[in-house]
Amino acid sequence: MVYFTADLHYKHDKEFIWKKRGFSSMEEHDEKLLYELNNLTELDTLYILGDVSFGKDALKNSIELLSTLRCMTYVIRGNHDKKLFNVKPKMGLVRFVDSHLLEETICGQKMVLSHYPLVSWHQSHYGSWHIHGHVHGQKLPIVGKMLDVAPTAEFFGPYSFYDVEKKMKELPDNWDLVEK
């Protein structure tokens, strides 16, 4: 199974991260985060769309979290991942995508994976999906086949492809969709 998440902010000690996600402490937040990610197996693939950690120990904390993963993992650069991408440690099944954007076709669906939300993306006018992070669940002034996969109080675990597919069916078409 293919999974997506973003903005993990592992061991980020600021209340606005863990409190907004429904936790009473950073430790409680991080325990749940590790639990959810460690449910993935070697048969799974995980895309982390930026911001693995943040703060003075972000590099150490990012490596700590990534070293627990048992699945193939692609980490796309986020705005808080500079130290991690400067080092890009060799980590078995972890691959670093040194870009803020990655185009993939997953289960036959074209997608643009990015840390940042985009107004328009490659093939959006042909119905491609945009999976992103960065905005921590904030509503955007544009609608379409785009989804913020950062953990929230309502949905904390990584999104499976099928979770994303279900959400996309509920969303309106991309604003720039070309009629067939």
Side-chain angles (χ1 to χ4, degrees), residues 37-44 66-73 93:
L37 294 175
N38 285 307
N39 278 327
L40 305 183
T41 72
E42 59 276 354
L43 301 175
D44 297 317
L66 294 171
S67 68
T68 70
L69 302 176
R70 297 178 289 150
C71 61
M72 189 69 205
T73 302
L93 296 174

Side-chain angles (χ1 to χ4, degrees), residues 4-18:
F4 309 89
T5 192
D7 302 296
L8 301 177
H9 288 267
Y10 180 66
K11 292 195 175 179
H12 187 172
D13 64 352
K14 300 297 182 202
E15 269 189 24
F16 74 89
I17 294 293
W18 48 264

Side-chain angles (χ1 to χ4, degrees), residues 100-119:
H100 295 285
L101 186 138
L102 178 66
E103 293 183 33
E104 295 280 83
T105 299
I106 299 171
C107 298
Q109 176 61 52
K110 291 183 180 182
M111 299 182 181
V112 172
L113 311 175
S114 173
H115 178 64
Y116 300 102
L118 304 169
V119 171

Side-chain angles (χ1 to χ4, degrees), residues 9-169:
H9 288 267
Y10 180 66
K11 292 195 175 179
H12 187 172
D13 64 352
K14 300 297 182 202
E15 269 189 24
F16 74 89
I17 294 293
W18 48 264
K19 201 169 204 174
K20 185 177 176 185
R21 294 176 179 178
F23 296 96
S24 57
S25 70
M26 177 191 75
E27 292 79 13
E28 183 184 355
H29 170 273
D30 291 346
E31 182 178 325
K32 176 69 170 167
L33 188 61
L34 289 172
Y35 173 80
E36 293 292 339
L37 294 175
N38 285 307
N39 278 327
L40 305 183
T41 72
E42 59 276 354
L43 301 175
D44 297 317
T45 299
L46 174 65
Y47 291 88
I48 300 175
L49 309 183
D51 291 0
V52 177
S53 187
F54 184 66
K56 68 181 177 92
D57 293 323
L59 176 59
K60 178 177 85 69
N61 295 335
S62 294
I63 292 170
E64 179 181 311
L65 180 136
L66 294 171
S67 68
T68 70
L69 302 176
R70 297 178 289 150
C71 61
M72 189 69 205
T73 302
Y74 296 92
V75 181
I76 294 173
R77 182 190 281 268
N79 58 303
H80 297 304
D81 295 320
K82 183 176 182 179
K83 291 177 184 176
L84 180 61
F85 275 80
N86 283 343
V87 173
K88 287 190 239 170
K90 301 275 186 250
M91 302 190 68
L93 296 174
V94 177
R95 302 291 179 269
F96 295 95
V97 179
D98 202 356
S99 173
H100 295 285
L101 186 138
L102 178 66
E103 293 183 33
E104 295 280 83
T105 299
I106 299 171
C107 298
Q109 176 61 52
K110 291 183 180 182
M111 299 182 181
V112 172
L113 311 175
S114 173
H115 178 64
Y116 300 102
L118 304 169
V119 171
S120 184
W121 54 93
H122 189 236
Q123 296 196 342
S124 60
H125 57 290
Y126 292 123
S128 68
W129 296 350
H130 176 40
I131 315 299
H132 66 88
H134 189 66
V135 295
H136 297 264
Q138 295 293 319
K139 296 289 181 213
L140 297 173
I142 187 167
V143 295
K145 303 294 185 193
M146 54 192 302
L147 181 64
D148 179 1
V149 294
T152 63
E154 296 76 33
F155 193 96
F156 192 78
Y159 286 79
S160 71
F161 174 83
Y162 298 111
D163 295 327
V164 172
E165 182 178 52
K166 184 178 177 189
K167 290 273 190 191
M168 291 300 180
K169 286 179 181 176

